[in-house]
Amino acid sequence: MISRQILIHGHVQGVFFRQSAQKKALELGVSGLVRNLKDGSVEVIAEGSSEKIKLLIEWCHSGPSRARVDKVDIHECPLKNYTGFIISY
């Protein structure tokens, strides 16, 4: 199990990014959360196997069809043992 903070920059708020990220994470069996940040970016905290996290990160580079992703930053973070994948407000 690994944990990653994924910061997605671009036109990523108001385009169903959080809902789409939650759906993708649940399809992959990844736990964690997704939320909008005040600077207009979206933050994903994802926990799972390195293979599943890699697939989620790849998806984050494009996101849902209405999104425009300019940059994705990835950081290691400590495991918090999330259960499920939630949209945080």
Side-chain angles (χ1 to χ4, degrees):
M1 286 276 287
I2 64 169
S3 182
R4 296 292 181 266
Q5 176 194 44
I6 309 161
L7 297 170
I8 305 102
H9 305 273
H11 180 65
V12 293
Q13 290 189 12
V15 295
F16 297 99
F17 202 102
R18 291 177 299 162
Q19 294 86 345
S20 299
Q22 180 187 46
K23 181 180 177 194
K24 187 64 175 179
L26 291 172
E27 284 174 12
L28 292 170
V30 171
S31 300
L33 63 86
V34 59
R35 62 181 160 204
N36 287 338
L37 298 181
K38 291 180 182 179
D39 67 358
S41 64
V42 169
E43 176 186 43
V44 173
I45 304 294
E47 296 182 349
S49 71
S50 58
E51 178 183 316
K52 300 295 185 181
I53 298 296
K54 180 182 176 187
L55 292 171
L56 182 60
I57 290 169
E58 287 174 6
W59 178 88
C60 287
H61 278 87
S62 57
S65 61
R66 293 175 54 201
R68 186 196 77 244
V69 176
D70 296 333
K71 183 172 91 166
V72 177
D73 295 321
I74 302 150
H75 306 280
E76 290 184 30
C77 55
L79 283 168
K80 293 189 179 177
N81 297 309
Y82 289 98
T83 55
F85 195 93
I86 63 166
I87 297 173
S88 181
Y89 297 94

